[in-house]
Amino acid sequence: MKFKSLLVKVLMALALVAPVAASAQALAAQAATVKAVNKQVVVNYVSGYSVKAWKNYKVKLGAANDTGISFKHGTTLTVVGEVKYKKRTWYKIADNEWILSSYTLSNKAWAKKAAAAKKAAAKVAKKAAAAKRVSKSKQTNQNKVVALAKAQVGKPYVWGATGPYSFDCSGLTSYIYSRALGKYITRTTYTQVHQGKTVAVSTATLKKGDLLFWGSKSSPYHVGVYVGGGKFVHAATPSQGVIKQSLSYYFWPSTAKRLI
C-alpha cells in the first residue's frame, strides 16, 4: 500500500510539472520569434571602427558564424527583423545577417549625440582659441619688455635713479615695466620681489620678462630682467652701468618672479 501511495504521489507531481515545463518551452519559443520590422538605426561603436554582422543570432559568436561583413561607426542601416534571444536583442539586416541592437542608436538618439559632440567640439575650439589669444598677448608683452630692456644697455648706473637717462637696479626694472606695459611694480627690490608669481630659476623654466633677484628671497639686494637665451639685463654697478649678461653659476639668482 505504501508503494502504491508513493507512486500515485509521484505521478500526480509529474502531471503538475509537465504543463509548467511545456508552458516554459512555449514561452521560450515565443521569445525567440523574429518580429518583422521596418526601421532605420545608426551603428554606434567607436569612431574609425566597425561592428561585425553574424550569420545566426543563436550560434556562438566566432569565426564559423562570421559573415565577413562589418558596418562602420555612423553607418545607417535598415532593420527588417528583430528578436530577443538570451536577454539580448538582435536586428536582422538581411538574410543570414544579424547585429546586436546594443551597437546601434535610433536616428533621433544619433542626431542628439551628434549635436552634443558638435557643441562639445565647439566649446573646446573656443577655449583653445581664447588660450591662443592670451598666449599671443603674453608673448607681445614679453617682447615689449625685452625690447625696452635692451634699449637701456650702455646707460650709466646712478644710485636712486629711475631713468630715463640713468638707473639703479630696481629703478631700471620699474622703468621698463612702467613704460613698456604701463604696469607699476613698486620701486625697490624689497617690494618688487613680492610681485607676481614665483618661478624656478632655470633656463628651461624662465620666460622673457621675468624678474631675477639676488640675495635673500624675501629682501634681495639686486634685480634684473630676463631677456631670453640665458641672458638678462640689469643696472650692475657704477663702473659697469646697464649691461646684458649671461646667467652664471658664480652669480646665480636666488629667486625669480613672473609678472606677465
Side-chain angles (χ1 to χ4, degrees):
M1 290 294 291
K2 288 182 178 180
F3 175 75
K4 285 183 178 181
S5 176
L6 180 60
L7 181 59
V8 170
K9 288 180 179 180
V10 170
L11 291 172
M12 288 177 68
L14 288 172
L16 290 171
V17 170
V20 174
S23 177
Q25 289 175 356
L27 287 171
Q30 184 181 1
T33 300
V34 177
K35 180 175 66 174
V37 295
N38 184 10
K39 64 181 180 181
Q40 286 191 326
V41 295
V42 184
V43 175
N44 179 48
Y45 193 48
V46 178
S47 183
Y49 290 84
S50 302
V51 172
K52 285 186 175 183
W54 305 98
K55 296 176 184 177
N56 193 322
Y57 62 86
K58 291 182 181 179
V59 180
K60 184 178 180 181
L61 304 185
N65 195 22
D66 191 348
T67 61
I69 299 169
S70 60
F71 303 105
K72 286 185 178 180
H73 172 76
T75 302
T76 299
L77 301 173
T78 298
V79 178
V80 297
E82 181 178 331
V83 64
K84 190 168 185 179
Y85 184 72
K86 291 186 177 180
K87 298 182 179 181
R88 295 197 293 185
T89 299
W90 289 84
Y91 286 154
K92 183 179 180 181
I93 308 304
D95 289 339
N96 301 318
E97 201 173 299
W98 296 84
I99 64 169
L100 279 165
S101 67
S102 55
Y103 293 134
T104 68
L105 288 175
S106 67
N107 282 334
K108 185 177 180 180
W110 177 262
K112 186 176 179 180
K113 179 181 178 180
K118 186 177 180 180
K119 186 177 180 180
K123 187 176 180 180
V124 170
K126 186 178 180 181
K127 189 175 181 180
K132 188 175 181 180
R133 286 194 297 272
V134 170
S135 178
K136 189 174 181 180
S137 175
K138 283 185 177 181
Q139 190 175 30
T140 298
N141 287 342
Q142 288 168 350
N143 290 337
K144 285 181 179 179
V145 166
V146 169
L148 188 57
K150 289 180 177 179
Q152 309 316 307
V153 172
K155 292 182 179 180
Y157 177 103
V158 175
W159 176 261
T162 58
Y165 304 110
S166 59
F167 304 92
D168 65 10
C169 66
S170 56
L172 174 66
T173 52
S174 63
Y175 174 84
I176 290 169
Y177 267 86
S178 175
R179 292 299 179 93
L181 305 181
K183 188 171 186 176
Y184 178 65
I185 63 169
T186 72
R187 169 65 184 86
T188 69
T189 57
Y190 309 119
T191 52
Q192 288 180 10
V193 77
H194 298 294
Q195 306 295 311
K197 175 185 175 183
T198 302
V199 292
V201 183
S202 163
T203 52
T205 307
L206 291 171
K207 293 185 182 296
K208 294 177 180 179
D210 289 347
L211 295 185
L212 305 177
F213 295 90
W214 286 261
S216 167
K217 290 183 178 182
S218 59
S219 54
Y221 63 83
H222 192 62
V223 63
V225 179
Y226 187 70
V227 294
K231 298 181 182 299
F232 65 101
V233 170
H234 65 137
T237 64
S239 61
Q240 293 175 299
V242 178
I243 59 174
K244 184 171 77 170
Q245 191 173 352
S246 295
L247 286 168
S248 167
Y249 286 105
Y250 297 103
F251 187 52
W252 196 255
S254 55
T255 189
K257 295 288 182 170
R258 183 160 298 154
L259 285 76
I260 301 173

